[in-house]
Amino acid sequence: MGYDTLVGEGGALLSGGQKQRIAIARAIVRNPDILLLDEATSALDTASERLVQDALDKLSVNRTTVSIAHRLSTIRNSDQIYVVREGIVSENGSHDELVHKDGEYAAMVRAQELRQAVRNKLEDGDGSGSGSRSEDDEENEEGDVSELIAKELKEQALDLKATTTRQTTDSAKHSSSDTVAGDKKHKSLEDSSDMYLMLRLIWDYRGSMKAAIPGGFLALIDGATMPCFTLVFVRALFALSLTDMDEIKRKTDLYANLFLIFSVVGGLAIFGKIGLFHIAGENTARQLRHDLFVKYMTFEAGYFDDEKNGTGALTSRLATDAEDFNKVVGSVLGIAFSTLSTIICALTIAFVYSWQVALLMMGCWPIQSYAQYWQARAMWGASMRLREAFEESGQAAAETIRNIKTVATLRREETFIRVFDEKNEVPHSGNVYNSLYSAFGFGFSMACNLLINALVFYAGCKFVTHGWVEVMNLMYSLMATMFSSMSIGFLAQVLPMVPKGAVASRGIYMTLDRKTAINGIDTTGE
């Protein structure tokens, strides 16, 4: 066993004797002034106990050592031995002094020597013996036989546990390729893209998204509000150019009331859209966390012995994967519905009043789309790497905090702080790079909006000067297409949530689609 040996979560792969030897080694390495030993060799066999006890005897030289033991062989070299019965010291002295007193300590010494003699006979195969034995001796030997059998069975159980753990750990490495038996309607994880898995997750959990149905209807109303508002806004602008003041007052009063109606309708639509989609997202996240936790409960013990499936990594997945998908449902879907409605209404208005401007605007949209695709692709490639890096840092933090007493005892705080900082270095540098890349992509997308609007306005002016389009029709079409460009820009703001949600969907299905070797909560016994 070396420093890089995988010992499992909380040392689950170590036997009791191995844990005890490691604890003793820690004490020896630290070289303390005062050494406290509480049943230091209770889990060791006789051969290992002799080796460890020799090391402890050497370590106890020139230092104060306090030992608590029931195996008297571990304290026979102590300078002072105290025999405690029912919380009271009944006798004390060195080993030889207490044996000479022929008291309780001497009786315990004789009993353990007799037990060891019987055990040695059994191990040497000399079980029949010769000569006569008293009934007490036979009863002691029978008790020792039972004790040895129980110890042997325990050792065999530990060997079986270690073998089973190795087998399940090896099988867990290939668990990501396993899917639910008999499930023919979905592709395997290897053949599925992250986007497909995200859409599949939305479909599978549609029952938790019932609030998104009225939310989607309100999102369509919200998206149609601004293009329809342009029809009133353009008329209001032209009304101000009239010469008749009474006519100006009449029309501006009408349009002001219409503005008020648009503001009320738009406000209610936005309120309902955001609220209902967030409710749908929270309901879905809650159900996802429940299903993931229940799935964890069905996995065999070997799954949790894998270093990739430690407590920190699993709790991190349980918290972040559902939350990343929650953002897709709560934020992205609502804005996507609104953007779709805006584009349809804006194109309809643009084609009705000036098909030339509408076609020009549609020709420029691929530039905006490419800018957003560029931004999303950068985020997509980094999301999986950052997810794994955050799981590693979370695992390191969880292990350190869970074993904080050991860390503090060994005064290794600085070591684990350094390990945690090193684990965070990769996600930190990755986030800095992605932030700059995403900011550049978002800035380029916003610049495209202004450049396209400038191009369309310039072209529209040319259309007017050539007599192809009337000024008012140009304004209707131009304002509608400008609002559609703005809606695409709003979609770009939430676009980075999509790669995270898609990557989280793959992680969720890696858990939900995994077949467990032993389902502990299956009442059918399968």
Side-chain angles (χ1 to χ4, degrees), residues 1-242:
M1 181 180 296
Y3 286 115
D4 296 328
T5 301
L6 180 63
V7 298
E9 186 92 17
L13 301 182
L14 296 176
S15 65
Q18 288 174 323
K19 291 179 180 179
Q20 203 158 33
R21 286 194 290 271
I22 290 176
I24 293 172
R26 285 175 174 173
I28 294 175
V29 169
R30 194 180 178 197
N31 193 26
D33 295 330
I34 300 177
L35 187 62
L36 301 178
L37 303 174
D38 187 359
E39 300 287 355
T41 60
S42 60
L44 304 181
D45 54 46
T46 305
S48 298
E49 180 186 4
R50 293 195 191 99
L51 296 175
V52 172
Q53 189 59 45
D54 290 341
L56 290 176
D57 290 342
K58 295 177 181 178
L59 180 64
S60 299
V61 176
N62 298 325
R63 78 178 74 247
T64 301
T65 303
V66 179
S67 299
I68 302 172
H70 288 86
R71 286 188 180 181
L72 304 184
S73 58
T74 62
I75 60 172
R76 63 185 302 137
N77 295 326
S78 300
D79 298 323
Q80 194 68 220
I81 301 174
Y82 294 87
V83 180
V84 180
R85 176 179 291 276
E86 297 180 356
I88 301 175
V89 176
S90 59
E91 55 185 2
N92 67 287
S94 65
H95 172 77
D96 294 335
E97 292 173 351
L98 293 175
V99 171
H100 183 70
K101 288 182 179 179
D102 198 19
E104 291 182 272
Y105 181 82
M108 288 188 288
V109 170
R110 288 193 294 270
Q112 292 193 9
E113 287 178 349
L114 177 61
R115 188 178 299 114
Q116 184 61 40
V118 173
R119 183 181 292 110
N120 292 338
K121 285 183 179 181
L122 292 174
E123 291 176 353
D124 294 339
D126 188 11
S128 58
S130 60
S132 62
R133 292 181 294 181
S134 65
E135 293 182 1
D136 292 339
D137 291 341
E138 291 179 355
E139 290 176 359
N140 288 335
E141 182 176 346
E142 183 178 353
D144 290 326
V145 170
S146 300
E147 184 178 327
L148 289 174
I149 292 174
K151 180 179 178 181
E152 180 65 24
L153 290 175
K154 181 179 179 181
E155 291 176 352
Q156 292 178 3
L158 290 174
D159 293 339
L160 178 61
K161 177 183 177 182
T163 303
T164 304
T165 299
R166 285 193 297 270
Q167 293 173 348
T168 53
T169 301
D170 293 337
S171 64
K173 295 180 181 179
H174 305 285
S175 62
S176 60
S177 61
D178 294 333
T179 54
V180 178
D183 190 1
K184 301 296 184 182
K185 61 181 180 180
H186 295 306
K187 297 186 292 185
S188 64
L189 291 179
E190 291 81 0
D191 298 333
S192 303
S193 65
D194 293 343
M195 181 59 71
Y196 168 81
L197 292 175
M198 185 176 69
L199 295 176
R200 173 188 163 189
L201 195 61
I202 292 175
W203 177 255
D204 289 345
Y205 282 84
R206 60 190 182 278
S208 301
M209 303 179 191
K210 295 179 180 178
I213 297 176
F217 176 73
L218 292 175
L220 295 177
I221 296 177
D222 172 46
T225 301
M226 292 307 295
C228 295
F229 172 78
T230 61
L231 298 176
V232 179
F233 182 70
V234 171
R235 284 182 170 84
L237 290 178
F238 277 90
L240 294 175
S241 63
L242 298 176

Side-chain angles (χ1 to χ4, degrees), residues 467-485:
W468 298 341
V469 179
E470 295 182 1
V471 175
M472 182 171 285
N473 291 341
L474 172 64
M475 293 300 295
Y476 286 144
S477 182
L478 182 61
M479 294 295 291
T481 53
M482 286 177 62
F483 280 118
S484 65
S485 297

Side-chain angles (χ1 to χ4, degrees), residues 391-430:
E391 285 182 1
E392 291 181 2
S393 63
Q395 176 72 1
E399 290 181 353
T400 303
I401 295 172
R402 185 172 55 252
N403 299 285
I404 189 62
K405 292 183 179 179
T406 303
V407 174
T409 301
L410 299 176
R411 302 298 300 163
R412 307 305 300 173
E413 293 90 342
E414 294 297 331
T415 300
F416 288 97
I417 290 174
R418 184 175 65 255
V419 170
F420 181 74
D421 289 341
E422 290 174 354
K423 296 290 186 181
N424 276 317
E425 186 62 31
V426 173
H428 169 71
S429 58

